[in-house]
Each structure stands twice: as structure tokens, then as C-alpha cells.
Amino acid sequence: MNTLAQKKLLVGVTGGIAAYKSPDLVRRLRERGAEVRVVMTAAAREFITPLTLQAVSGQPVRTDLFDPAAEAAMGHIELARWADAIVVAPATADFIARLAHGRADDLLSTVCLATRTRLLVAPAMNQQMWAAAATQANVEVLRQRGVRVLGPDTGAQACGEVGPGRLPAPDELAAAIAAQFTAPRFAGVRVVVTAGPTREPVDPVRYITNRSSGKMGYAVAEAFAGAGAEVTLVSGPAQLPAPAGVALVKVETAEEMAAAVRAAIDGAQVFVGAAAVADYRPAEVAGQKIKKTAETMTLALTRTPDILASVAMRTPRPFVVGFAAETERIVENARTKLERKNLDMIAANDVSLPGLGFDSEENALRVIWKTGEANLPAARKHELARGLVELIGDRYFENRVENS
Ligand code: C5P
């Protein structure tokens, strides 16, 4: 059980029927060692009493912004500074709207505005209110400001309807809140990812490239950043926005990608080669546009550097993960590549399957390492990337323990 020892939590309770779960949440947070203070909105007091929350928190409950006695004991700005996290559970549609608009018309909204600490909200409301465009837009605004949104759960509602909008069970909420304080798995780990195609010029207006969209590599970089890693993404030409929290280096050719990887790789602990690097480039790049005079023409090609293999040859070397786009005997070919290129792990995908792999939203991966393999079934590339990062983590941290 993740601990909350030494943590000071301010629990905000707003006026929805799910407020009946808030006293239980307070108890669960205290069981994990947290010191809890509660602020209720006026509407919350229509559902449960301050006395209940006072009894379970062991502290006087604040409800009013203009309460001279309470303000004298701990002013609202002091309260905002005191908290290591503010958790609003349940957060009604109205409270979410007020938070999104920066209102400060009661104690809880004022404290939320006056704090620099992390803010967590657990929405709970009728499923139609949750689905409403206004609510969804407000929640998106909060997410973009860094507010963590916990839930809602889906199921039977107090109003008799069924759908998303339930407050998660108090023990689940307490676990999710505690998880906010544990360091993410890849914190302090430097990761370099390559993505996208490369573009090998033939003359000033023509080039050789391939169908890679870069989506898988970008999703892997984003998943690593989400897991706390410090990520450099070296990308060939791709029509994708830079993932949040990732240092993006844009390149065109395989040679440029190799140089960018060399510049970024020192001190990196993990390397993922998800780029579809051209294996050959035109041996000579014409200085001028090639004219169509001859009936046929031959383009001489020469090999490009194998970026993945050269990273795997370094000493010390990072944990090296390659991708293998295959059209037949997927596992066999991938395992051969794992050994030939001296990789720690290889993610193979069957690019002959319709709707999967190159330039598509979905993919499926067979992940292979020296002593085992795992199947990541067809899913959106973001979801798949999170699964792959988990598998890399399992192997990477296991190896670190073995080697230490
Ligand atoms: O040998 P093959 O090209 O199929 O291997 C694919 C893997 O090798 C991918 O991870 C790809 O990013 C990497 N690769 C590379 N440099 C190359 C060719 C492939 O890093 N020149």
C-alpha cells in the first residue's frame, strides 16, 4: 500500500450526492498516514454535515470564506500553502466550471486559485452532465493546466441512470492519490528514441522515402515522458506535433539521423530505434534537377549507416530496443535480427496485415528478448506504446539489479 505519511492533504467536498463517500475517503487517506483538513462548499452541507467530516478528519472543517475565527486560526492563503495536494472529491459540474473559469467566490474555489500545489479533482455527476460539451471543455481546460482528473467511474448512478459519472470507490481514490506522490518509474532515466522515415535526396527536387508516419515512435517517446523519463526524440520528416515534455530533434537523411543520435546518446540509458531508416541512399546527389532525356535510367545506391547496430556496439551501451517491420515469419526474422544486431529487445510488427503498422492508427506487436517474448495485441499506438514501455521497464530494471 502506497503511503501518505507526512503528507498534508486538503480535501474539498462539493455538493453532489457522492459527497456521502467523502468521509470514507478521508478515513482511507488518514489510514495511509496523511494529515487531512476538509473544506466544504455550501452545497456540500446540503448532503452531509461538517460534524461528520470533523469527526473523521480530527480537524475543524472550514466552510466559509468570511469566518473571522477560522481565518484567525489559519487564513485561507495559509491553508492553500499548507497543503501538499488539494483533492476535490466529489467535484460537481458546477465546481469544475468555476475552477475552469478561475472563480474565487467561496472558500474552496479561492484556496484552489491561491495554491501552487498539485490539484486533483474527482468528478461525480449525472452521466448526461458529464457528457455535456461544456463540462468536457472545462475538464480539458483543467487537464491542460496540469490538474489531475481522477475518474469518473462508469456504472449505476444515484439518479437511476447508468453511465460515466460515478465517484470511484474511496479506497481506489486513496490509492490513486497516494500514487501521485510516488516517483514515476523512469524518473532520472535518459532515453533516446528515433522515429519517422528518412528522406534521401536524388537531386534538388526528388528524394527516396518510405510510408512510415512516425506515429509509433512519437507514441513511444510520449509514453516514456509520461513515465518520468528525460526523452530526446530524433525524428525524420513527420507531420506530427512534438509530444509534451520531449526534446525533439528534426532531421531529414539517415546520415543526419545518425549524427543526431551520436550527439544525444552519451549518458542515455535506453535507446529505442523506431525510425524506418532508409537502408540505401543515392550514391551521388545530382546538383541540378535530372532531366528526362534517357528512356531508362539507373540510380546507383549505397548503404546508409545502421544507427541501431552502431548504438548496440557502444561501450558502455544503453538498453537497446529495435523495431522490425516484417511481412512473413515475423518471430523468426525478428529473433535473428535481435541476435545479429546485438539488441536487448525487439518489437516486431506484421506490416502485411490490413489496417495495422505503417501509417495507420493501430498496431500489434510481438516483443522479443533473449529469454522470452510477449504479445501486445492490436490497439491504438499510444496504448501499445505504454505497454511496450512497461515491458522495457521490466527488463531494464531487472538487468540493472543483475548487473549491480
Ligand atoms: O534491419 P532492419 O532495417 O529491418 O531493422 C529495423 C530496425 O533497425 C529498426 O529499429 C530501425 O530503426 C533500425 N535501423 C537503423 N538504421 C538503419 C536501418 C534500420 O537504426 N540504417
Side-chain angles (χ1 to χ4, degrees), residues 189-226:
V189 176
R190 282 201 46 216
V191 177
V192 177
V193 180
T194 66
T198 63
R199 201 178 259 182
E200 310 299 334
V202 175
D203 69 14
V205 297
R206 302 184 178 95
Y207 52 77
I208 298 174
T209 190
N210 58 63
R211 288 176 50 201
S212 166
S213 64
K215 283 177 192 148
M216 194 65 222
Y218 276 59
V220 169
E222 193 174 333
F224 266 116

Side-chain angles (χ1 to χ4, degrees), residues 54-229:
Q54 179 177 313
V56 289
S57 67
Q59 299 284 345
V61 170
R62 298 282 305 263
T63 55
D64 193 354
L65 184 56
F66 305 110
D67 177 338
E71 278 291 305
M74 189 189 267
H76 60 277
I77 301 293
E78 220 179 317
L79 193 58
R81 286 199 197 120
W82 169 86
D84 293 315
I86 299 178
V87 184
V88 184
T92 59
D94 176 66
F95 187 77
I96 287 169
R98 290 201 286 127
L99 203 55
H101 288 273
R103 300 293 297 263
D105 49 7
D106 67 1
L107 180 61
L108 185 57
S109 55
T110 304
V111 170
C112 288
L113 210 55
T115 194
R116 285 160 88 180
T117 191
R118 68 195 93 197
L119 194 52
L120 290 80
V121 297
M125 65 197 72
N126 162 270
Q127 52 96 16
Q128 200 56 55
M129 292 172 77
W130 171 250
T135 304
Q136 289 302 312
N138 289 333
V139 169
E140 191 48 38
V141 165
L142 297 185
R143 279 206 175 101
Q144 285 188 359
R145 282 186 203 145
V147 175
R148 301 303 297 260
V149 179
L150 308 175
D153 274 2
T154 297
Q157 300 202 301
C159 53
E161 293 179 18
V162 177
R166 283 165 57 104
L167 189 72
D171 53 343
E172 279 171 33
L173 262 183
I177 293 162
Q180 304 293 319
F181 290 98
T182 55
R185 196 173 194 197
F186 280 93
V189 176
R190 282 201 46 216
V191 177
V192 177
V193 180
T194 66
T198 63
R199 201 178 259 182
E200 310 299 334
V202 175
D203 69 14
V205 297
R206 302 184 178 95
Y207 52 77
I208 298 174
T209 190
N210 58 63
R211 288 176 50 201
S212 166
S213 64
K215 283 177 192 148
M216 194 65 222
Y218 276 59
V220 169
E222 193 174 333
F224 266 116

Side-chain angles (χ1 to χ4, degrees), residues 306-361:
D306 191 321
I307 302 166
L308 187 65
S310 66
V311 171
M313 276 187 307
R314 291 172 67 94
T315 40
R317 72 199 273 285
F319 186 93
V320 182
V321 184
F323 271 75
E326 303 287 351
T327 52
E328 55 176 357
R329 297 192 319 219
I330 316 293
V331 176
E332 207 180 317
N333 284 339
R335 203 168 269 290
T336 308
K337 204 168 285 180
L338 179 85
E339 277 155 30
R340 183 165 45 81
K341 295 199 186 194
N342 189 27
L343 311 179
D344 295 291
M345 188 180 262
I346 193 156
N349 57 326
D350 185 348
V351 286
S352 68
L353 295 176
L356 295 181
F358 273 154
D359 204 19
S360 62
E361 291 303 324

